[in-house]
Amino acid sequence: MIRKIFFLLSGLFAGIAGCDFSDRPLTDATDSFERAVGLYEEKSFRQAETLFVQSLPVFEQRGQNHTVAEVHRYLGQIHLAEGRLYTALGKFEISLSKTKKENDFRSEITINNLIGDSYYAMGVYHDALSYYGAARQLSSAFNDVQTKAEIEMKIGATAFVADRFEESLRSYLSALSYYQSNGNNASAAFALGRIGEIYARQNRYPEALNSLTQARTLIEKSNEPVLDARLRMNLGLVYKAQANLNEALRLFREAANTLRSKKIGREYETLLLFHIGNVYFDNGRYTDAKKYYADASGIARASGDRIAEGYAELCSIRCDEYMMPSTGKMQATEKIIQSFLQLARQFKECGHHAGESYAYAQAGRLYESIGNLSKSQDMLRQAVSLQEGTLGEFTQPEFHRPYQEYLKMRGKDDVYAQLASVLMQTKNHEEALRILERASSKTYYEVLQDAEVAVRVSTVSGDVNNCRTKLRELRMLHIELSSLLSKRGNAADEQWLNNLRLQIERLEQETKDLSARIMKVHPNYEPLVRSGSLKLQEIQNAIPRGTLAVRFLLAGSELHVFAISKTRFEVRSIIVTKEKLFSLVEEYKRLLNDPSVYTGTGGEASVPVMTRFATLSTQLYDYLLRPVDPLFERNLVIITSPEFENFPFHTIERQDRNGTVKYLVEITSVDYLPSLSSFKFKTASSSRINDIVAMGNPTGKNWSIDYELRDIRSFFKEAKVLISREASWEKLRAAKADVLHLSTEFLMDEGRSVLGAIALSNGQTGGETVKVSFEKLSELLAAP
């Protein structure tokens, strides 16, 4: 017996000796990883995440870079599915870094795609397009045409919501070609449907109807109820735009009934009911509209979409406002105000500041209507504060943007103008101007936040770049927090939410301190670092002597003209309705492009048009500038505002009592600035201009531009003129000048620049141009 035990123990020890204990952790980690993948595929995300996290350190210690990249990819996909969008992005970026080290190009395509998905979900479309573009390039290199087509669809969707319609159209057409050649009718129909949506946005309604109808034909024999409902919805929107409301309602109803009967596509059903409500609302049938809005709100609530629920409820409250009885209006208004305030609290709970701000703005508007200006100011200040403090928030473009567009929320300056208008009624002129200035600063910050601008001033370059990095992180954290709060039933970890809030609070203070430090040294970088509002005295100190700055505010039936110089601040007002003034402005701008106004090409028929144009010119002067005419000095600076975007003030004419007519530019020099704070920007002074470089006409095909550029030598004989092949980026970068004059094509819908691109010569081939991002101009050396 003892002998048997001895042999058993000997065999056991021999077996143990043959094993490598160091392989056990890796084996266990691999087993955990495989189980985690299975759980992920079953959508058991929390359990899968635990196992992935447990196995990760072992793979890292053993240098298993491929598996480490896979773990981070899966973790990123889990976070993305749960709404932890910025956290997901971080995981994908680690995965991409590991994948590149392994030269795993196939995985690189996948991860670039996922990073693009993360940015798209966060509404950072510029970066989404960059990563989708990288994935498309790799797919082309491997001739993976199917993956390339899928990426083209994503690029098309992203470019569409970024209002880059031509780029979107190119991508969808490319994908459509692939799907048609492979007989994939469902995907081809989807691409055709999106092409139809682009045409509709461009007001090309016949082409939109054709594309959407073709798409429906492709899936007639397929079981694609959600896609068909989407196509019918967009057909209905085209018919609505063409005022064919009966056909629009028929399509909306049929699509909604199909989805309801099959109990699928609840997001589209919500939107369809919303669109039906809009048709009734726009036609004054408020009771019917309210019913459909209430149904939409109920479906959104059931499906957990708190944002859509809030917007549908907001539309419902607007119906109540329009149905207010003529008697007891004060009490009815107070009741509706309370409904808006309750809705503001609901939006706050789901982290959606845009909706919360809009609800407060409506309450402020109603308080103003019953004469309670104090309460109105309180509500509107709340609305402005929310917009000021929000760098970004989660929305789904397809399911939330239609509500925002219908409520005209894209005009983000409206609430600022509302508050400024109420402040004017209480004679608080200085604060009204300050509010308008804050609106301008916010607008330009939003335009430039994703621009890749070179910071050339060494004393602040580190602080500016650091501040911009922190602001970007702050924006992402804002989006992640609102994403987690936006979904009803989302079991977001309270500790995770609190940590997010603490990070946001810390970054807000850090960016505020950095911004203040930068502004003291070099205020030119204010649009890049989200500066606070300026005091009037600061602005006046920065205005040059002999200069008058004017800023406009249309409020109710009055146009207020703010006039600011180094020594005075006045507000002059004139009675004119917004509708009348805007109609005159639009007519003037239209006639400004009518050749018969200048050339008389229509013969006698041109006389009435020319007379009307001349009348408009003096009439607009009387409205816009006559009130401050006595305050004119040597220079007039127009502070641009959304109401008068692209309006050429310098071309309007003053008619004196003796009949003398002069263009504004003949009376005083005219300049334009984006904001009053621009006066604080530092500029290089020069006693005289010496070096001038003029370049343009890179294709060499427009002789009139050549003539224009050479004509500069009539005033500055030594001006250097670069045209045709000479008009290249290399020549521009090497130029040293006090003044640079560019005459070339500006392309907004090209390349990856948020500011568009400029066309320059490639420097080698006549007629060929290259696109240079507009931001690159910031790299050019300034004059000493």
Side-chain angles (χ1 to χ4, degrees):
M1 186 69 178
I2 293 171
R3 206 170 173 183
K4 281 185 178 180
I5 293 171
F6 174 77
F7 280 121
L8 282 169
L9 289 171
S10 299
L12 179 61
F13 288 139
I16 291 171
C19 285
D20 185 355
F21 276 103
S22 65
D23 286 342
R24 175 61 61 190
L26 184 58
T27 303
D28 291 343
T30 303
D31 181 56
S32 293
F33 174 79
E34 290 170 355
R35 283 189 292 134
V37 171
L39 288 165
Y40 170 83
E41 290 170 352
E42 294 168 6
K43 298 191 184 305
S44 299
F45 294 139
R46 290 296 172 90
Q47 293 170 276
E49 182 181 359
T50 301
L51 290 174
F52 280 130
V53 170
Q54 287 174 355
S55 65
L56 182 59
V58 177
F59 296 131
E60 288 175 332
Q61 289 167 8
R62 299 304 178 90
Q64 303 280 320
N65 278 340
H66 175 77
T67 312
V68 169
E70 285 286 283
V71 171
H72 281 290
R73 176 173 68 82
Y74 276 114
L75 286 171
Q77 288 173 288
I78 290 169
H79 297 325
L80 196 59
E82 291 180 336
R84 288 185 275 175
L85 308 177
Y86 186 44
T87 307
L89 178 64
K91 295 297 181 184
F92 292 141
E93 286 174 340
I94 294 171
S95 182
L96 182 62
S97 174
K98 300 287 183 185
T99 299
K100 284 183 173 180
K101 286 179 181 177
E102 294 292 298
N103 293 320
D104 184 352
F105 299 113
R106 294 284 181 182
S107 294
E108 200 175 326
I109 295 172
T110 301
I111 299 166
N112 273 312
N113 232 327
L114 289 167
I115 293 177
D117 292 346
S118 300
Y119 279 122
Y120 178 83
M122 290 189 287
V124 187
Y125 304 125
H126 169 258
D127 287 333
L129 286 169
S130 292
Y131 281 94
Y132 287 144
R136 177 175 60 184
Q137 190 173 3
L138 284 168
S139 300
S140 297
F142 285 101
N143 198 30
D144 186 348
V145 289
Q146 180 178 344
T147 300
K148 184 185 175 187
E150 291 166 1
I151 296 167
E152 292 283 15
M153 294 289 280
K154 290 185 176 184
I155 290 173
T158 308
F160 179 80
V161 296
D163 296 332
R164 298 171 67 148
F165 299 128
E166 293 305 318
E167 182 176 1
S168 178
L169 186 60
R170 287 194 297 271
S171 287
Y172 280 128
L173 286 170
S174 174
L176 175 63
S177 176
Y178 169 78
Y179 292 131
Q180 285 177 327
S181 66
N182 283 273
N184 187 337
N185 286 347
S187 294
F190 191 87
L192 266 172
R194 294 309 299 256
I195 289 168
E197 290 177 53
I198 295 168
Y199 288 144
R201 281 297 183 99
Q202 296 175 323
N203 300 325
R204 296 160 65 179
Y205 297 125
E207 292 160 282
L209 289 172
N210 183 47
S211 293
L212 291 163
T213 304
Q214 280 186 55
R216 287 200 69 205
T217 303
L218 276 176
I219 57 168
E220 275 179 340
K221 298 178 182 178
S222 307
N223 183 26
E224 297 284 348
V226 175
L227 175 55
D228 187 54
R230 177 189 174 128
L231 293 170
R232 280 191 281 190
M233 179 179 75
N234 284 297
L235 276 167
L237 290 171
V238 174
Y239 282 119
K240 183 187 173 193
Q242 295 180 310
N244 189 343
L245 302 182
N246 289 332
E247 186 63 11
L249 282 173
R250 182 186 70 80
L251 286 160
F252 292 152
R253 285 199 180 100
E254 286 178 358
N257 290 336
T258 299
L259 295 176
R260 183 178 297 134
S261 65
K262 294 182 179 293
K263 297 181 179 179
I264 54 175
R266 304 308 295 272
E267 299 94 339
Y268 286 112
E269 187 183 349
T270 303
L271 267 182
L272 285 158
L273 293 171
F274 165 70
H275 288 310
I276 294 171
N278 291 345
V279 173
Y280 286 126
F281 185 91
D282 294 341
N283 284 276
R285 295 174 59 177
Y286 305 121
T287 302
D288 292 327
K290 184 175 174 65
K291 174 186 177 300
Y292 283 99
Y293 289 144
D295 288 347
S297 180
I299 293 168
R301 187 182 307 115
S303 59
D305 189 342
R306 302 175 80 179
I307 296 174
E309 176 192 349
Y311 280 125
E313 182 61 28
L314 200 154
C315 292
S316 182
I317 297 171
R318 289 171 76 239
C319 293
D320 292 335
E321 181 186 345
Y322 278 81
M323 291 189 293
M324 274 195 300
S326 55
T327 58
K329 195 167 183 179
M330 182 78 76
Q331 292 83 355
T333 301
E334 288 279 4
K335 187 176 179 181
I336 291 168
I337 288 170
Q338 292 310 309
S339 296
F340 277 125
L341 294 180
Q342 173 60 35
L343 188 59
R345 288 189 284 272
Q346 287 175 221
F347 274 123
K348 183 177 183 178
E349 288 172 8
C350 67
H352 190 63
H353 289 172
E356 187 184 355
S357 175
Y358 191 88
Y360 277 124
Q362 300 314 300
R365 175 180 57 80
L366 289 173
Y367 271 128
E368 181 188 3
S369 73
I370 59 175
N372 193 336
L373 298 184
S374 175
K375 282 279 190 181
S376 177
Q377 286 183 37
D378 290 344
M379 296 297 102
L380 292 169
R381 282 195 179 100
Q382 283 268 54
V384 165
S385 178
L386 284 162
Q387 290 202 16
E388 288 276 298
T390 306
L391 290 177
E393 63 186 353
F394 173 74
T395 55
Q396 291 178 290
E398 190 161 349
F399 301 122
H400 301 145
R401 195 172 178 180
Y403 299 103
Q404 296 178 326
E405 290 177 342
Y406 183 71
L407 295 168
K408 296 182 173 59
M409 288 183 59
R410 294 180 75 192
K412 293 184 180 180
D413 290 341
D414 287 355
V415 68
Y416 292 86
Q418 272 184 268
L419 177 54
S421 172
V422 175
L423 290 166
M424 290 300 294
Q425 293 177 57
T426 58
K427 308 299 181 186
N428 198 341
H429 299 167
E430 188 173 332
E431 188 183 352
L433 180 63
R434 201 158 53 238
I435 289 295
L436 294 174
E437 178 65 12
R438 283 165 65 181
S440 295
S441 296
K442 181 175 172 62
T443 298
Y444 289 102
Y445 170 75
E446 288 177 345
V447 168
L448 293 169
Q449 62 183 331
D450 289 322
E452 296 177 5
V453 179
V455 182
R456 297 177 303 181
V457 181
S458 59
T459 52
V460 294
S461 60
D463 278 346
V464 172
N465 291 326
N466 188 19
C467 188
R468 297 193 81 197
T469 299
K470 289 178 182 292
L471 282 166
R472 180 181 174 82
E473 184 182 356
L474 184 56
R475 175 186 176 192
M476 303 301 184
L477 291 174
H478 277 172
I479 294 167
E480 177 151 320
L481 180 61
S482 64
S483 167
L484 291 168
L485 294 171
S486 67
K487 203 75 172 172
R488 189 179 297 279
N490 189 354
D493 187 329
E494 194 60 37
Q495 186 177 353
W496 184 277
L497 293 175
N498 287 334
N499 285 337
L500 270 177
R501 292 185 180 106
L502 286 172
Q503 289 180 69
I504 287 170
E505 189 178 328
R506 174 182 57 80
L507 279 171
E508 282 177 342
Q509 188 58 53
E510 289 177 7
T511 54
K512 185 178 179 180
D513 293 342
L514 272 171
S515 176
R517 194 157 74 220
I518 292 161
M519 289 296 291
K520 282 182 181 178
V521 178
H522 215 282
N524 301 47
Y525 292 107
E526 181 224 13
L528 299 180
V529 297
R530 195 182 173 222
S531 175
S533 60
L534 289 174
K535 295 179 181 177
L536 178 62
Q537 189 60 55
E538 290 180 293
I539 295 169
Q540 288 186 291
N541 289 342
I543 294 177
R545 293 195 180 279
T547 295
L548 179 74
V550 297
R551 166 102 199 211
F552 302 93
L553 170 65
L554 269 165
S557 59
E558 283 188 286
L559 173 68
H560 302 295
V561 187
F562 296 86
I564 313 103
S565 70
K566 186 171 278 294
T567 57
R568 65 198 305 169
F569 169 56
E570 294 188 28
V571 181
R572 304 286 178 91
S573 304
I574 191 167
I575 302 296
V576 60
T577 64
K578 183 179 292 188
E579 293 73 23
K580 180 177 181 179
L581 185 58
F582 281 173
S583 68
L584 295 176
V585 165
E586 290 306 312
E587 186 181 1
Y588 180 83
K589 286 162 69 176
R590 178 176 58 79
L591 292 178
L592 195 64
N593 293 301
D594 188 336
S596 62
V597 169
Y598 304 103
T599 62
T601 50
E604 288 187 13
S606 298
V607 174
V609 180
M610 296 168 75
T611 304
R612 177 59 181 163
F613 182 72
T615 302
L616 283 170
S617 184
T618 55
Q619 196 173 3
L620 284 168
Y621 185 94
D622 289 341
Y623 280 128
L624 297 170
L625 293 171
R626 184 75 72 176
V628 293
D629 191 309
L631 306 177
F632 281 1
E633 299 194 37
R634 292 192 306 275
N635 309 311
L636 177 67
V637 175
I638 309 290
I639 305 301
T640 57
S641 57
E643 302 95 328
F644 299 106
E645 188 173 7
N646 299 324
F647 182 75
F649 285 87
H650 56 281
T651 65
I652 58 177
E653 298 165 294
R654 180 177 74 184
Q655 183 171 9
D656 295 334
R657 289 182 181 178
N658 60 8
T660 304
V661 177
K662 285 185 177 181
Y663 290 109
L664 174 61
V665 76
E666 293 180 279
I667 300 165
T668 178
S669 70
V670 183
D671 288 301
Y672 299 86
L673 284 177
S675 65
L676 282 166
S677 59
S678 303
F679 279 113
K680 290 195 70 180
F681 295 177
K682 294 181 178 181
T683 57
S685 59
S686 176
S687 55
R688 62 173 295 180
I689 295 170
N690 296 312
D691 298 322
I692 291 179
V693 171
M695 70 184 305
N697 192 21
T699 61
K701 296 175 182 176
N702 194 334
W703 65 267
S704 62
I705 291 179
D706 289 4
Y707 181 83
E708 171 199 321
L709 294 174
R710 289 193 176 104
D711 192 49
I712 292 173
R713 288 178 178 152
S714 301
F715 306 94
F716 300 95
K717 292 181 180 179
E718 302 302 319
K720 187 175 184 180
V721 178
L722 303 170
I723 55 179
S724 190
R725 274 184 286 184
E726 292 281 293
S728 67
W729 171 248
E730 288 71 25
K731 295 279 188 184
L732 178 57
R733 189 168 51 189
K736 301 286 192 304
D738 299 319
V739 174
L740 170 66
H741 179 99
L742 284 171
S743 290
T744 186
E745 191 175 0
F746 178 80
L747 308 160
M748 194 60 217
D749 201 20
E750 298 282 353
R752 291 288 169 260
S753 165
V754 295
L755 299 178
I758 51 176
L760 295 175
S761 170
N762 64 8
Q764 299 168 352
T765 312
E768 295 291 325
T769 62
V770 293
K771 300 176 183 71
V772 176
S773 69
F774 196 78
E775 293 102 305
K776 284 187 76 68
L777 293 178
S778 67
E779 297 176 12
L780 299 177
L781 290 175

